[in-house]
Amino acid sequence: MDGTEFKKYVGENIAKIRKFRGYSQEYISEIVDISPNSYSRIERGLNFPSAESFAKIISALDISPCELFNFPNKESDEKIRKEIYRKLKIIEKDREKMINIWLYINSIV
């Protein structure tokens, strides 16, 4: 992972958490004391916040720093999808098993 990807993933995580909390970019940028444009650039992975801004973002979102560094593992995710598809193909004729699997998947996602 290079620096560009790193900034992108951190920015995506910030945006995802902000939206989940129901905050606007303007609200967070005001708390962090940076311009809305600068904050938007952070979420888009174009800029990385200073240490001070980073700490303020974490505080405003009420999260731990590690939550921003939980990056997707595309290879692992693809393997999981393929395995789920393979298992579903095996049992597709058994409706009861399909329903149970669907209920299980919904309970963990």
Side-chain angles (χ1 to χ4, degrees):
M1 174 182 302
D2 65 19
T4 302
E5 280 183 306
F6 181 77
K7 288 190 296 188
K8 178 182 165 231
Y9 287 138
V10 170
E12 287 174 353
N13 285 346
I14 290 171
K16 194 181 314 178
I17 294 166
R18 175 188 57 79
K19 290 173 185 175
F20 179 77
R21 298 269 194 262
Y23 299 142
S24 68
Q25 285 186 338
E26 292 78 17
Y27 174 76
I28 300 295
S29 69
E30 192 174 307
I31 291 173
V32 176
D33 196 28
I34 60 176
S35 73
N37 186 46
S38 292
Y39 181 79
S40 173
R41 292 180 61 80
I42 291 169
E43 283 195 0
R44 290 182 285 143
L46 302 174
N47 289 351
F48 199 75
S50 67
E52 182 181 344
S53 294
F54 195 72
K56 288 179 180 179
I57 290 170
I58 289 168
S59 177
L61 296 175
D62 190 28
I63 57 172
S64 67
C66 66
E67 290 180 73
L68 295 181
F69 299 105
N70 185 15
F71 303 145
N73 184 335
K74 294 177 185 173
E75 183 179 310
S76 176
D77 290 350
E78 185 59 26
K79 285 180 183 176
I80 291 169
R81 275 193 289 279
K82 285 180 180 180
E83 184 62 17
I84 289 171
Y85 181 76
R86 188 182 72 75
K87 300 262 188 205
L88 290 175
K89 288 303 269 179
I90 291 170
I91 60 163
E92 70 184 339
K93 294 185 184 350
D94 188 332
R95 181 169 169 70
E96 186 176 336
K97 282 185 182 177
M98 287 291 287
I99 291 171
N100 287 336
I101 290 171
W102 178 253
L103 293 172
Y104 175 73
I105 290 171
N106 278 330
S107 73
I108 61 171
V109 175

